[in-house]
Amino acid sequence: QLHQQQQRQQRHRPMQEEVAVAVERLKTAMGRRTCVCILGGEITDANTEAIVAALARKLGELCDDNVAFVSNGLRGVQTVFAQNLGSGATRLWHLAHSSSEIELPKVGDVIRAGDTFEQQKKILASLGEVYVTVAGGQGVANEARIAHANRALIVPLARTGGASAGGSVFPIEALVRPLWAPEDDWKLLSDTSANVDVYADVVARIVLAGVSEACRHVQTKPAGKAVARPHHSAYDNDAAWEARDKELDAIQETMRDIHQENRDLRDHVAILERRLVAFHAESTGSLVTQPSTQ
């Protein structure tokens, strides 16, 4: 049994090394920019297409030269995003494996990533600091799970349904509001009644907050310049990451408990107020109907 386990590890190790090497090569080619990756497949309704187009225009306007946009160049969500990115398209890359034959979007640069589509998807899921997920199925869920395991920040457009709303074994932790995202903005991600432009503004605001959060923990560097990480950074230590994650989980759990206690308190106050009103009405009624003793 131990021998079989070692064989499995040997089979997987070259793949993992290849992904890591590919990610480093791509990061260098993209000027060490913070990568915002777009996950999503075919578009099945006009509303989703309008959201993706509006979001692309907004991010193209707001994100500066330190941000790169990356996709697998697939039809649907990723193509619509590329076509509407505007000036941001100068910092747009589409991954393509060595034997890829798909027709890529006509805007943005194409860069090789892996030798199969499966490798390409794993590389994309390991490359970014921030991921925007739109609808999707099992493929989007799988990429989101890898990205989440790599501590990437995920912005799921739950309104668009599918994996982004929690389907296809999407990582449930990625649906919980992170501390860096405003609470009201995060709630709007699942609001199907929100105006498309308002929705796109909110998503763009969350993405920018995610980029800022990623930059706090990963020293990014401008194009063409090498920046060394501190040798004793706490974030280079897996134990420190785990401690930080546990601390954040504890804080989020405490916040949920506080919110629940506040809701319970409001409900209790409302019950007391109703009882007081009823008691007042009964007391007033008894005084009106009580016969005079004089």
Side-chain angles (χ1 to χ4, degrees), residues 193-216:
S193 64
N195 173 273
V196 167
D197 289 327
V198 172
Y199 188 84
D201 285 344
V202 167
V203 175
R205 192 156 57 233
I206 295 174
V207 171
L208 289 176
V211 169
S212 297
E213 177 70 9
C215 289
R216 286 179 59 227

Side-chain angles (χ1 to χ4, degrees), residues 244-261:
R244 176 179 177 273
D245 289 343
K246 288 180 180 178
E247 183 179 357
L248 290 177
D249 289 343
I251 292 172
Q252 290 180 333
E253 183 64 30
T254 300
M255 291 177 65
R256 283 192 288 267
D257 290 342
I258 292 172
H259 290 320
Q260 183 59 51
E261 288 175 4

Side-chain angles (χ1 to χ4, degrees), residues 1 39 82 100 171 259 262:
Q1 186 176 2
L39 303 182
S100 175
H259 290 320
N262 288 339

